[in-house]
Amino acid sequence: MQIQDLPFPDPGVPDARSGPRFLWWLFRNQLSGQLTSLAWGLLHFASVASLPFCVGTAVQAAVDRSGGRLALAGGLLALACAGNAVGDTFLHRAAITNWITAAARVQQLLARKAAVLGAALTRRVAAGEVVAVSTGDVEKIGWFVEALSRFTAAAVTIVLVCVGLVVYQPALGVVVAVGLPVLAVAVLPLLPRATRRADVQREKAGRATELASDTVAGLRVLRGIGGEDLFLDRYRRASQEVRHAAVRSARMWSLIAAIQVLLPGLLLIGVVGYGVHLARQGRIEVGELVTVYSSVMLLTYPLRHFEEIAMAYSFSKPSARRAARVLALERATDTAGSRAAETLSGDLYDPETGLLAPAGRLTAVVCGDPDAAGRLAERLGGHAAQAGTSVLLGGVPLDELPLDCARQAVLVQDKDPVLLSGTLRELLDVPASGQVDPRAALDAAQCADVLAALVQGSLDVRDAMDARLTERGRSLSGGQRQRLALARSLVTDPEVLVLDEPTSAVDSHTEARIAQGVRDLRAGRTTVVFTSSPLLLDRADRVVFLHEGTVVAVGGHRDLVHTEPRYRAVVTRETEDEVLHDDGRDTLLHRLDKLEEIEETA
């Protein structure tokens, strides 16, 4: 796999049982790239390791005044330099390719998992953790997968050089062969502490990032209550904790790096001292001493890869563990799409609650528990967080359909929809039936003032569709964001549209117009609205009231107000005393009169 071939047609099924197993799975799935990197690495390191032998041969030839051997040594030296240049160039190319392809594979796996789980993902894993895995953790995982082949090439080279030195000059070769393994494992006792300090640093950095994100998201509220300084102090303290943790982590890694410099230097001094002693006794030639000395000096370069692989594994292991935890999540009701893809239509029915939404009609659902309403809305769209009986659309279980087919049939807009940054035209450029014009959807969602605000807040923009939205629509009010999200859902024009509290952040007059606009635009289509707003309920074809997770009443809004005290308590926010006494009904009738006045004004 080359970089230009990305993305993968199929990233595969990961082994997400643990972090190390996931790393090993990634390595095996890049075996050809790893072997390529290993081959170029062996060429590069072998060329570097052969330089001392060439230099030693040249020195000894000069001492012996042998022109032929000197010329041979020069030719071998040129060949080693060429191999070094070629090997280093293509090793770097192969290593970067392995890094990028490993990171891309992980990102594809995470994106696929997010698409499969839908809204259930953030209920089971914090959104910040998913973002962290998809950004910083992906790079660390790719680093380790890429460094593994380079480390293998370096380790093989060190072994071969040690064997060669023992054969070439046994007296000094044995010293080097014993000393190099000691150097390689000398830092292992320090790695656990360094890893813990690095984990603490990442944890504190994550908390600081989360605090900064929350502060930016709630900046308008903080300004309203005068809390900017308070949160600024909190972030300042959090950032200082990150700095202290980073310094402590850096001290440990610098100590490891220092040991990697100190110990090879001590070995080099020992080899030189012992070699000079042997040379004085006439047991070795000058060229042999130069060869061994140069070999030890140059072997510090591949030895560095022992430090790198230890650092890469220390950083990538927790990252791989977090990625594996996300990738191990499964849909609660996934049956792998046992049915063939088909276009669905008909009534929407939930066997667990008894909720029935007739085809082509606007059904309003009232539930006293907002959290239970949100979970039911997700169930209707096939995003159930817990296992249970599948929702039926036209008598067909949604969970038995291919995921993309089920998602096209039922669209769920939750109570906190997200607006992506970009132009308004890009926001509304979503997979759709093509039967709903974006302007009509914006009109139905009562977005005229939102369009005007976008034009006024943009430079050199005359068409509101070309106005840019900031990240998550932060420059807009909650009601404006809610209406744009509703317009986006209306443009999609699915067979079944499920809306969870779509007008909770707008005023009563706007809400009344939105209710009529949605009803008109969705005529002939199945629409389910979770709400307790009388303005929306009064325009629904039928109202379903759920109590303790079960449908207990079905009818028109006004009929249920008079016949179902529990429904009346939820819709009008009555207290228990008002529900039990007759004067509560007088209060209710007074409120209904007020609502009728609002509707007439709208």
Side-chain angles (χ1 to χ4, degrees):
M1 171 64 71
Q2 299 298 319
I3 295 177
Q4 61 265 25
D5 298 327
L6 295 175
F8 291 95
D10 180 11
V13 179
D15 186 350
R17 289 176 290 177
S18 65
R21 288 178 182 271
F22 179 59
L23 291 174
W24 176 243
W25 177 85
L26 283 174
F27 179 82
R28 287 190 290 107
N29 277 267
Q30 287 189 222
L31 192 56
S32 61
Q34 296 294 340
L35 292 176
T36 301
S37 179
L38 177 61
W40 290 118
L42 288 174
L43 174 62
H44 169 57
F45 289 120
S47 299
V48 171
S50 65
L51 292 175
F53 292 94
C54 299
V55 173
T57 301
V59 170
Q60 189 62 42
V63 171
D64 297 339
R65 298 181 181 275
S66 174
R69 289 167 54 194
L70 185 61
L72 176 62
L76 293 176
L77 188 62
L79 184 61
C81 290
N84 181 21
V86 173
D88 190 22
T89 300
F90 285 94
L91 171 62
H92 180 74
R93 180 184 180 90
I96 294 300
T97 300
N98 288 336
W99 189 339
I100 294 177
T101 51
R105 188 185 296 273
V106 178
Q107 286 181 325
Q108 278 189 251
L109 290 170
L110 292 170
R112 184 174 67 177
K113 182 61 65 174
V116 168
L117 294 177
L121 175 62
T122 52
R123 287 185 176 271
R124 301 165 68 179
V125 180
E129 181 172 353
V130 177
V131 173
V133 172
S134 303
T135 52
D137 287 341
V138 164
E139 294 185 3
K140 295 180 179 65
I141 293 171
W143 176 28
F144 173 75
V145 174
E146 171 272 322
L148 196 55
S149 58
R150 285 191 293 112
F151 163 74
T152 304
V156 171
T157 301
I158 290 174
V159 172
L160 293 177
V161 170
C162 289
V163 174
L165 288 176
V166 171
V167 175
Y168 178 73
Q169 177 44 251
L172 286 178
V174 171
V175 176
V176 176
V178 173
L180 285 178
V182 174
L183 298 183
V185 302
V187 297
L188 291 182
L190 299 177
L191 290 180
R193 181 177 297 181
T195 302
R196 287 194 297 270
R197 291 190 179 184
D199 289 341
V200 171
Q201 176 194 349
R202 284 193 293 269
E203 181 181 354
K204 291 184 178 296
R207 291 178 181 175
T209 302
E210 183 178 354
L211 179 60
S213 177
D214 290 343
T215 302
V216 173
L219 190 58
R220 182 175 299 181
V221 177
L222 291 177
R223 287 175 176 171
I225 62 176
E228 303 103 311
D229 293 337
L230 174 63
F231 273 78
L232 180 61
D233 290 339
R234 289 182 181 179
Y235 180 74
R236 184 179 290 112
R237 289 194 299 270
S239 63
Q240 289 300 315
E241 291 179 1
V242 174
R243 183 178 67 84
H244 290 307
V247 170
R248 295 184 71 247
S249 178
R251 285 173 179 169
M252 184 57 64
W253 288 111
S254 62
L255 176 60
I256 293 175
I259 292 175
Q260 290 287 328
V261 174
L262 175 63
L263 294 183
L266 295 177
L267 177 62
L268 188 61
I269 293 174
V271 168
V272 170
Y274 185 53
V276 170
H277 172 70
L278 294 178
R280 286 178 175 177
Q281 294 180 347
R283 297 170 58 183
I284 65 172
E285 301 290 342
V286 175
E288 293 175 338
L289 177 59
V290 172
T291 298
V292 176
Y293 165 78
S294 303
S295 297
V296 175
M297 184 176 64
L298 289 180
L299 281 178
T300 57
Y301 168 56
L303 273 176
R304 285 284 183 177
H305 288 75
F306 284 79
E307 175 193 351
E308 182 187 3
I309 196 65
M311 184 181 296
Y313 183 71
S314 299
F315 278 89
S316 65
K317 184 179 178 180
S319 298
R321 185 170 58 247
R322 285 190 290 266
R325 183 165 58 246
V326 174
L327 295 175
L329 298 176
E330 298 292 343
R331 291 186 69 217
T333 56
D334 195 4
T335 59
S338 56
R339 286 177 176 264
E342 58 180 299
T343 302
L344 296 179
S345 61
D347 298 342
L348 183 68
Y349 177 67
D350 177 31
E352 285 197 8
T353 60
L355 172 64
L356 173 66
R361 303 183 67 184
L362 173 60
T363 301
V365 181
V366 177
C367 183
D369 183 359
D371 293 333
R375 290 191 294 270
L376 178 55
E378 292 176 358
R379 275 181 47 76
L380 295 180
H383 306 278
Q386 298 178 350
T389 306
S390 175
V391 172
L392 306 177
L393 179 57
V396 176
L398 284 179
D399 293 334
E400 295 182 5
L401 291 170
L403 188 60
D404 56 347
C405 181
R407 295 278 169 83
Q408 290 175 3
V410 183
L411 173 66
V412 179
Q413 176 183 305
D414 60 23
K415 63 184 65 177
D416 187 22
V418 176
L419 300 182
L420 302 178
S421 58
T423 65
L424 183 58
R425 192 183 309 278
E426 293 171 341
L427 176 71
L428 300 179
D429 185 17
V430 293
S433 65
Q435 299 180 12
V436 176
D437 183 75
R439 297 285 183 178
L442 291 169
D443 291 340
Q446 300 300 308
C447 295
D449 64 315
V450 184
L451 302 182
L454 289 174
V455 171
Q456 293 176 0
S458 304
L459 297 176
D460 301 328
V461 173
R462 296 182 179 180
D463 188 352
M465 299 296 289
D466 296 324
R468 296 195 64 83
L469 299 172
T470 56
E471 181 186 3
R472 298 179 67 90
R474 298 192 191 282
S475 60
L476 304 175
S477 67
Q480 290 173 328
R481 290 195 298 269
Q482 200 171 55
R483 282 177 281 164
L484 284 180
L486 176 59
R488 180 179 58 188
S489 299
L490 294 175
V491 167
T492 304
D493 190 35
E495 181 65 30
V496 179
L497 177 60
V498 180
L499 304 172
D500 187 8
E501 295 289 351
T503 58
S504 58
V506 301
D507 59 84
S508 299
H509 293 279
T510 305
E511 187 176 30
R513 293 193 294 268
I514 291 175
Q516 189 60 47
V518 172
R519 179 182 176 86
D520 294 341
L521 193 64
R522 292 285 299 173
R525 297 292 237 175
T526 306
T527 307
V528 181
V529 182
F530 286 81
T531 183
S532 59
S533 167
L535 291 171
L536 287 174
L537 295 170
D538 198 40
R539 282 173 168 75
D541 295 319
R542 67 199 303 266
V543 178
V544 179
F545 176 57
L546 279 80
H547 182 68
E548 296 182 353
T550 305
V551 174
V552 295
V554 179
H557 168 59
R558 296 177 184 269
D559 294 335
L560 292 177
V561 164
H562 289 85
T563 60
E564 179 54 66
R566 292 171 296 184
Y567 175 83
R568 183 167 65 248
V570 173
V571 172
T572 63
R573 280 74 168 176
E574 288 182 342
T575 63
E576 293 183 2
D577 292 338
E578 289 177 325
V579 173
L580 296 175
H581 294 83
D582 291 337
D583 60 350
R585 181 163 299 181
D586 296 336
T587 303
L588 173 62
L589 294 175
H590 175 70
R591 291 176 180 173
L592 286 175
D593 292 338
K594 290 293 186 181
L595 289 177
E596 290 178 355
E597 293 178 5
I598 292 175
E599 294 173 8
E600 292 175 358
T601 303

